Amino acid sequence: MTTPGSHYFDEDPTAESSPRDIALLLPDATFTLTTDRGVFGYEHIDGGTKLLLLRAPAPAAVGDLLDLGCGYGPIALTMARRSPEATVWAVDVNERARALCVANAERNGLANIRVCAPDDVPPDVRFATIWSNPAIRIGKPALHSMLMRWLGLLAIGGEAVLVVHKHLGSDSLQAWLTSAGHAAHRHGSSGGYRILRAGAKVVD
Ligand SMILES: C[S@@+](CC[C@H](N)C(=O)[O-])C[C@H]1O[C@@H](n2cnc3c(N)ncnc32)[C@H](O)[C@@H]1O
């Protein structure tokens, strides 16, 4: 929930804080997560996020992994639990979301998560796996530039797994990713959500 004129992707949400706890139940993990107003998914775990967590192939076991647009952290925490030897970078522009993600990682005993603003990720980090429920509502130009920036940091052989609703342009996004050199295919779909898998750019 946001106040009029504010968005879940604001850097500093103006919505009055009203934290609440929600449960994320997966076959292999259970988390209690604190969320808040002014952050995406305040009421419940987003349906697309849940589908991604149920269907995505296992993240790389080691190396650097990325949750692009971490919100309060359901994706980052799941990656960290499934790949305890890896380092999970949880990135978001929303300061309140980052604070929640830090607290949720700590509360759930996960020490392999680094939460930071996008520009605070060291420039030499390359990601073996990227998972994201991307912020489609920032608009197509901003979305495309965000995806080019981060998918461009995939390690050789690395893979991004994205969840996007068909009404929010999943099919055109798949085509655009492929045209941009990140061969993308549909891994699964349910309830209108598509899971897309996109590879690192092939360099000759
Ligand atoms: C659809 S929400 C997903 C949140 C969380 N991963 C989840 O599944 O509940 C997208 C997130 O991307 C963040 N975001 C928007 N623009 C961003 C950007 N340029 N870089 C990083 N994160 C961004 C938003 O603040 C928001 O938290």
Side-chain angles (χ1 to χ4, degrees), residues 42-53:
Y42 175 56
E43 303 287 339
H44 49 75
I45 300 288
D46 177 68
T49 296
K50 185 83 186 272
L51 185 69
L52 173 72
L53 299 178

Side-chain angles (χ1 to χ4, degrees), residues 16-72:
E16 192 181 336
S17 175
S18 180
R20 55 184 290 172
D21 283 353
I22 55 177
L24 170 57
L25 307 175
L26 296 166
D28 59 332
T30 297
F31 302 109
T32 301
L33 301 171
T34 306
T35 179
D36 202 349
R37 296 176 66 217
V39 169
F40 178 84
Y42 175 56
E43 303 287 339
H44 49 75
I45 300 288
D46 177 68
T49 296
K50 185 83 186 272
L51 185 69
L52 173 72
L53 299 178
L54 289 172
R55 298 275 186 89
V62 294
D64 292 297
L65 318 182
L66 172 68
D67 172 7
L68 174 57
C70 62
Y72 55 89

